[in-house]
Amino acid sequence: MHQLIQADGQPHYGQFAAAPELINYRDYDFRSPMGRPQGALAKWRRFHQFQYFGIISDQLIGGCALANLSLLGVGFVYLFHPASGRMIKRQFKLPLGLGTLFSQNPNQGVCELRWGHNRLRLENSGPSLEKHLSVTLDDGTSIEARFSEREPAFAPMCLCTPTAVNGWVYAQKVAGVRCQGHVRSSLGDFDLGTIDAFAHHDWSAGYMRPETFWNWACLSGQVDGQRVGLNLSCGVNETSFSENCFWLDGELIKVDGVRFAFNRDQPLEPWTITSNDGQVALRFSGAGLHQERVNAGLIASNFKQIFGRFTGELRPRGRQSVRIDQLWGFVEDQYAKW
């Protein structure tokens, strides 16, 4: 598919085998809830985009996100050292996104944030299907991490769903891929290949609900010689189609609706995550978290991303169950008004 938005101004909806070449949101026939056509300013204000790259291993956990919220450009990066419990984290908020750059091509282009001597950069390369994270911070921290969906072959989750009365969301997700590169920081120097790090990746954009929430779960690792990845959510991307899935050696397996049971006031306490079709039965125990709270009137966020360990089972239909035993991963509890 060349472009997500068709000639009639409507998106292609559904799950796709590959990403569109361009998320041409400016061609969308954007209407008010009462059906009135909206102009370029409204299209710019309501369009939001974000990209996330996560790193998972027994020795190091990391995450970096960039978001274009029209009125605000947002970025964060963190590193967590499980053995010591120490953590490095930085957050950036740039009015009107000044100092940021966002490509609308999920597989080809650059998303970047610059602030002083700090740079967060996510580059996607179409020919190699490679995703590359590059971070340089003014405290000397540097991250160079990358993975490819081509070797070994991997089937990303790509879908577009209708959202609320007048929107849509395109989401593209990957988990369960090995990660290469290096990290240098006050937590130590790490070769990501040597420590057997895995990665996950999220590229999402569209006209999202003006006020929304979601829970999300992701893991990446190896179980009995098999590469395993997981992507589950509740609250977004569930209208007509669902992003819920897991991967076994790069093969995508769809999952039904998911229930997250947890204590919102104590997010490090255990979570229970189960799917309606019985393919997922997991328990998550938190080890640390990254959180942000913003309440700026037109924009607000209460964001918690917790990293910890999963135990339980994945039960693909007609196959042997995959036993998950203390595998590192992430969950989120997020409220957003934008």
Side-chain angles (χ1 to χ4, degrees):
M1 185 194 315
H2 176 56
Q3 296 182 334
L4 182 69
I5 307 302
Q6 305 174 74
D8 64 358
Q10 298 303 309
H12 291 277
Y13 288 118
Q15 185 173 341
F16 317 127
E21 294 179 14
L22 181 66
I23 308 302
N24 55 321
Y25 74 94
R26 294 180 181 86
D27 296 327
Y28 176 49
D29 182 14
F30 184 45
R31 304 288 183 100
S32 75
M34 302 305 294
R36 178 179 297 175
Q38 301 293 287
L41 181 61
K43 286 185 180 183
W44 167 80
R45 170 65 184 92
R46 283 291 311 281
F47 179 79
H48 302 317
Q49 175 181 346
F50 56 87
Q51 189 173 176
Y52 177 79
F53 192 116
I55 300 169
I56 299 177
S57 75
D58 289 336
Q59 297 186 40
L60 188 70
I61 307 291
C64 179
L66 295 175
N68 170 19
L69 307 181
S70 63
L71 297 178
L72 192 68
V74 177
F76 71 75
V77 60
Y78 68 82
L79 294 167
F80 175 70
H81 187 234
S84 67
R86 292 188 299 146
M87 185 174 181
I88 297 170
K89 60 181 179 180
R90 296 290 293 275
Q91 304 174 20
F92 305 93
K93 296 178 175 65
L94 282 61
L96 299 178
L98 300 175
T100 65
L101 173 68
F102 285 88
S103 167
Q104 274 76 60
N105 186 323
N107 277 345
Q108 182 74 51
V110 172
C111 295
E112 186 176 71
L113 180 151
R114 289 178 178 267
W115 180 255
H117 296 290
N118 303 287
R119 187 189 71 164
L120 313 181
R121 179 183 175 93
L122 285 155
E123 182 173 1
N124 304 333
S125 176
S128 64
L129 291 179
E130 185 173 273
K131 308 294 189 289
H132 181 199
L133 167 67
S134 179
V135 174
T136 304
L137 300 181
D138 54 15
D139 63 1
T141 298
S142 68
I143 303 171
E144 297 291 336
R146 64 189 181 277
F147 69 85
S148 174
E149 298 166 23
R150 190 177 296 282
E151 295 182 4
F154 186 92
M157 190 290 302
C158 308
L159 90 167
C160 184
T161 60
T163 302
V165 67
N166 61 344
W168 50 267
V169 175
Y170 173 78
Q172 180 174 325
K173 306 205 174 183
V174 170
V177 290
R178 280 194 164 82
C179 184
Q180 303 294 323
H182 64 265
V183 173
R184 297 187 177 93
S185 72
S186 61
L187 301 178
D189 294 347
F190 302 87
D191 183 288
L192 298 177
T194 300
I195 66 174
D196 200 23
F198 278 71
H200 58 275
H201 183 262
D202 177 354
W203 197 104
S204 296
Y207 291 87
M208 304 167 186
R209 292 181 183 89
E211 187 170 11
T212 190
F213 93 98
W214 63 80
N215 295 130
W216 172 74
C218 176
L219 64 79
S220 292
Q222 180 170 291
V223 177
D224 296 330
Q226 184 171 229
R227 289 176 288 115
V228 178
L230 175 82
N231 180 83
L232 304 174
S233 74
C234 177
V236 294
N237 300 334
E238 294 177 314
T239 309
S240 302
F241 310 95
S242 166
E243 69 176 65
N244 294 330
C245 63
F246 58 84
W247 292 268
L248 300 177
D249 281 335
E251 178 189 358
L252 187 152
I253 298 169
K254 289 295 294 177
V255 174
D256 201 354
V258 176
R259 164 70 174 156
F260 290 76
F262 64 101
N263 184 338
R264 180 156 281 154
D265 295 326
Q266 301 292 333
L268 294 178
E269 291 185 357
W271 296 43
T272 300
I273 304 167
T274 54
S275 66
N276 295 334
D277 59 12
Q279 290 194 98
V280 175
L282 295 172
R283 183 178 173 88
F284 173 86
S285 297
L289 80 161
H290 169 73
Q291 60 183 338
E292 297 184 31
R293 289 183 180 174
V294 176
N295 192 352
L298 293 175
I299 294 177
S301 174
N302 186 1
F303 171 68
K304 302 183 188 76
Q305 185 178 90
I306 302 100
F307 29 91
R309 294 181 182 267
F310 287 90
T311 59
E313 285 187 335
L314 302 178
R315 303 164 180 160
R317 294 187 181 97
R319 306 190 196 182
Q320 185 176 356
S321 294
V322 178
R323 181 67 186 172
I324 305 299
D325 185 13
Q326 297 294 307
L327 201 62
W328 283 98
F330 299 80
V331 296
E332 280 185 0
D333 184 31
Q334 164 89 351
Y335 161 79
K337 182 175 73 170
W338 43 27

